[in-house]
Amino acid sequence: MTEVRYNWTKEEIAEIYHRPLLDLVYEAATVHRENKDYSEVQISSLISIKTGGCPEDCAYCPQAARYNTGVDIHAIMPKKKLLLRHKKPKPAVHRDCAWVLHGAR
């Protein structure tokens, strides 16, 4: 197992920075396989706690109120409902849960 280091020199960092990308990807995959079952899949949840109708007008974002995306608009999910969804039993391989809030409020 490769030891985690925190004492990198500027020269060592520069050498890594200038290495070819695919060499870095290969090395990262090798270290990953040495330390983890590469056939294992991590399952995570993503809960959108507010969807659509955003008052901000980011031209690239389909959450903006000016777009008709066919997705129902939902106000911010009440805290009680959010916590109930978060506490639901999950499969043993389920590890993470993230909450997403689109817009400024």
Side-chain angles (χ1 to χ4, degrees):
M1 186 164 146
T2 306
E3 186 177 330
V4 177
R5 288 184 51 200
Y6 300 98
N7 60 342
W8 297 91
T9 67
K10 288 182 182 180
E11 292 78 19
E12 289 172 316
I13 294 169
E15 187 273 324
I16 294 169
Y17 181 82
H18 293 290
R19 287 178 57 198
L21 176 61
L22 291 181
D23 288 353
L24 293 171
V25 171
Y26 178 79
E27 185 176 337
T30 301
V31 170
H32 179 76
R33 287 180 174 178
E34 288 173 354
N35 296 285
K36 186 107 174 100
D37 177 2
Y38 65 90
S39 65
E40 181 180 302
V41 176
Q42 178 178 331
I43 299 174
S44 301
S45 292
L46 181 64
I47 301 173
S48 181
I49 63 174
K50 178 183 176 295
T51 305
C54 179
E56 293 183 21
D57 189 8
C58 303
Y60 60 86
C61 181
Q63 295 287 340
R66 74 177 183 154
Y67 294 112
N68 181 7
T69 61
V71 175
D72 293 337
I73 295 173
H74 299 279
I76 293 178
M77 186 182 292
K79 182 178 180 181
K80 186 175 183 179
K81 184 177 178 181
L82 176 63
L83 293 175
L84 284 173
R85 284 197 54 192
H86 185 71
K87 290 179 181 178
K88 272 186 181 178
K90 296 168 185 65
V93 294
H94 188 276
R95 293 197 185 126
D96 297 316
C97 182
W99 304 342
V100 178
L101 173 65
H102 298 281
R105 297 173 190 212

